[in-house]
Amino acid sequence: MKGNLYLLFFILILNGCRSGTPDNIKLLSDSPETLLPIEYFNSIQEDIRVEFIYTKRLDLQKLDQQKYDLLISRNLSSPVFLEKLAIPPNQEKFADKYYPALTSPYLLRKSPVLIPLSFDLPLIIYRDDQFSDPPPFTISFEELDELSTLPATDEALSQMPFSPLWDGRYLRARLLFSGEDFQEQGKFNYDQEKLSLFMADQREWLMENQGEKALEFSRKYRYIPDIQLLNQGRLDFLYMELSEYLTQQESLSKALEFSYLSNSQKECLPLDVLYMAITSQGSNHRQMEQFIDTLLSKDFQKDFLLWKDSLREDSFGFMGGLSSLPEVNRYVLSDYYQQLSLRMIQAEQLHPTPSLPENWIDLAPDVIDKWLIHYLEGEETQELQNFYRQWDLHYIP
């Protein structure tokens, strides 16, 4: 994530120099991109001071050790955290402002227990001459399967359309779309039968449509960055996430286009949703309500993005993603990203976000993505649960 070193430098200074007062809001977060909006909020008014406390990873032990008012993390949808949260004050007035898919699983008495701030989306990117105008707004997994089938030929392999072997995030997204959330009561778990069927289907597709050619192609060419192979015409499609794609160097992305990756119903799945929540121990409710109201206003987010731009801080969008407020994306962020203005996601096109296991931020890339690729390549014979246990023995939040 670009700009993290810059942000962490300021976090260390702030945590070392700022002392809390009884009226301060104490906010704990494992998301460095949260710092700048909070600093901007502190700079534009004097009535409320938000004290930003950074932790490498949010876990239950930290919540029990010290009293915090607010939390911001991409792990908050885990049931282990939901038990520690309170209903934010007067949040029913915001219920219609968010994308419903971000809050629908986390409503209590018609109020969102989790306050969504930002999110990412999965994409399929390709050269701008891949489709006739206009390019498809979405590409489903099934459509990508059809586009990725290789013709039967014995010719030398110098070009590949797409292979699920290239990115574990693609396979993980496909599983999430199928309803697998990898958790039971917040702890890592999964449906063994569903996973086995999924892997069998993927292996069968690979053998019938690509055989060993995807592996051969990878050995021959994929020491070169994939996006360069795409521009060279050696690849037709790549999986990427929106924040990653829209922060690519212009020299790499100027001849590229994207479609949102979807299920067969043309729904897209929000990824890496950044949530804010009030802890059950939280106090200073008047100040917290004012801070939340300000942070979730179009005017604040618009002014903040202008301020961020003046700093030449190159992180994507609002808090590293699209805003949870559709009007900010439609009328503000679209001014910063031309391609986004032409392909703005609509609320009804988003699939509800699932609850996820504790430590998902680390678990997803280090366990799930790696195991999926190793398994399909024939390098991993142990079960996912055993692979997870080995990782968990050495994991330090």
Side-chain angles (χ1 to χ4, degrees):
M1 192 175 293
K2 295 182 179 179
N4 275 8
L5 290 177
Y6 169 80
L7 294 176
L8 286 171
F9 173 74
F10 279 96
I11 290 168
L12 293 173
I13 293 176
L14 289 166
N15 286 347
C17 299
R18 180 177 293 161
S19 60
T21 66
D23 292 331
N24 273 12
I25 297 171
K26 297 187 70 173
L27 187 153
L28 180 68
S29 178
D30 56 10
S31 301
E33 60 271 34
T34 303
L35 173 64
L36 278 183
I38 290 172
E39 282 307 288
Y40 181 69
F41 172 84
N42 286 337
S43 73
I44 61 175
Q45 51 77 50
E46 297 180 353
D47 297 334
I48 301 170
R49 187 62 49 182
V50 179
E51 181 181 358
F52 184 92
I53 301 147
Y54 177 75
T55 180
K56 184 179 178 183
R57 284 291 175 263
L58 194 64
D59 61 55
L60 292 178
Q61 186 177 359
K62 290 185 175 69
L63 299 188
D64 294 334
Q65 286 174 344
Q66 193 171 352
K67 179 180 175 182
Y68 302 100
D69 298 305
L70 288 170
L71 309 173
I72 294 181
S73 176
R74 291 180 173 83
N75 269 338
L76 285 178
S77 67
S78 171
V80 299
F81 291 113
L82 293 176
E83 296 174 356
K84 300 282 185 178
L85 306 180
I87 299 176
N90 297 323
Q91 277 302 290
E92 64 275 3
K93 64 188 176 184
F94 284 105
D96 294 334
K97 289 190 174 184
Y98 305 127
Y99 292 95
L102 303 180
T103 58
S104 56
Y106 312 111
L107 292 177
L108 188 61
R109 297 199 293 274
K110 297 184 178 180
S111 292
V113 178
L114 298 180
I115 301 170
L117 299 174
S118 68
F119 66 99
D120 216 335
L121 286 167
L123 307 179
I124 296 299
I125 65 170
Y126 43 83
R127 295 180 304 281
D128 57 13
D129 59 358
Q130 185 70 40
F131 299 102
S132 58
D133 288 334
F137 190 83
T138 63
I139 294 178
S140 70
F141 294 102
E142 295 78 9
E143 289 168 333
L144 191 58
D145 284 345
E146 292 180 12
L147 291 166
S148 304
T149 299
L150 290 174
T153 176
D154 293 327
E155 296 177 7
L157 188 63
S158 59
Q159 189 273 342
M160 281 283 292
F162 176 83
S163 176
L165 291 174
W166 294 343
D167 199 321
R169 296 177 300 172
Y170 167 81
L171 293 164
R172 188 215 316 163
R174 196 159 185 164
L175 276 163
L176 290 172
F177 264 116
S178 75
E180 179 57 73
D181 60 7
F182 294 100
Q183 63 91 19
E184 184 176 357
Q185 298 181 339
K187 300 300 182 182
F188 177 72
N189 206 346
Y190 56 93
D191 186 323
Q192 180 62 58
E193 183 179 359
K194 180 185 290 187
L195 182 64
S196 297
L197 287 172
F198 173 82
M199 300 308 290
D201 286 345
Q202 290 298 303
R203 274 185 163 172
E204 182 179 357
W205 185 90
L206 280 168
M207 292 305 298
E208 289 182 358
N209 297 284
Q210 295 185 348
E212 294 293 322
K213 292 180 180 179
L215 287 172
E216 293 171 12
F217 179 88
S218 292
R219 296 186 194 104
K220 189 173 182 180
Y221 292 107
R222 291 189 66 235
Y223 64 91
I224 302 171
D226 286 344
I227 195 167
Q228 292 185 24
L229 293 174
L230 184 63
N231 277 302
Q232 293 170 7
R234 294 200 182 279
L235 306 181
D236 288 343
F237 303 99
L238 271 183
Y239 175 91
M240 199 171 278
E241 288 163 11
L242 184 65
S243 60
E244 181 185 2
Y245 173 66
L246 290 180
T247 51
Q248 292 287 322
Q249 295 178 13
E250 186 179 358
S251 60
L252 293 174
S253 64
K254 64 181 179 180
L256 301 179
E257 263 288 2
F258 74 88
S259 298
Y260 294 103
L261 182 62
S262 73
N263 59 14
S264 56
Q265 286 76 45
K266 301 300 181 183
E267 296 174 315
C268 305
L269 185 69
L271 301 173
D272 296 332
V273 184
L274 185 65
Y275 285 109
M276 177 165 59
I278 291 179
T279 68
S280 56
Q281 298 177 329
S283 56
N284 302 320
H285 289 283
R286 180 189 63 80
Q287 292 90 338
M288 283 195 288
E289 182 178 356
Q290 185 175 334
F291 168 64
I292 293 168
D293 287 356
T294 302
L295 194 66
L296 293 172
S297 72
K298 175 187 172 185
D299 289 340
F300 173 85
Q301 294 191 17
K302 179 180 179 180
D303 293 342
F304 164 72
L305 288 167
L306 281 171
W307 179 75
K308 182 173 77 105
D309 194 48
S310 73
L311 299 178
R312 298 188 177 183
E313 210 286 323
D314 58 357
S315 62
F316 172 69
F318 180 69
M319 293 193 176
L322 294 174
S323 172
S324 62
L325 305 177
E327 63 173 353
V328 171
N329 297 325
R330 190 177 303 117
Y331 302 115
V332 181
L333 270 182
S334 59
D335 290 339
Y336 291 87
Y337 305 99
Q338 183 178 3
Q339 283 186 295
L340 185 61
S341 68
L342 301 173
R343 312 182 76 69
M344 183 60 66
I345 198 78
Q346 302 301 310
E348 61 273 14
Q349 294 172 299
L350 293 181
H351 191 75
T353 58
S355 295
L356 295 167
E358 187 181 10
N359 301 324
W360 177 253
I361 297 171
D362 297 318
L363 188 155
D366 293 346
V367 177
I368 298 170
D369 295 359
K370 286 183 179 178
W371 184 86
L372 289 169
I373 293 296
H374 290 333
Y375 191 92
L376 284 183
E377 288 180 342
E379 297 178 8
E380 189 59 60
T381 55
Q382 64 178 323
E383 291 186 359
L384 175 57
Q385 190 66 250
N386 294 331
F387 192 69
Y388 164 77
R389 289 193 189 101
Q390 290 182 3
W391 173 83
D392 191 46
L393 285 172
H394 305 284
Y395 177 68
I396 302 175

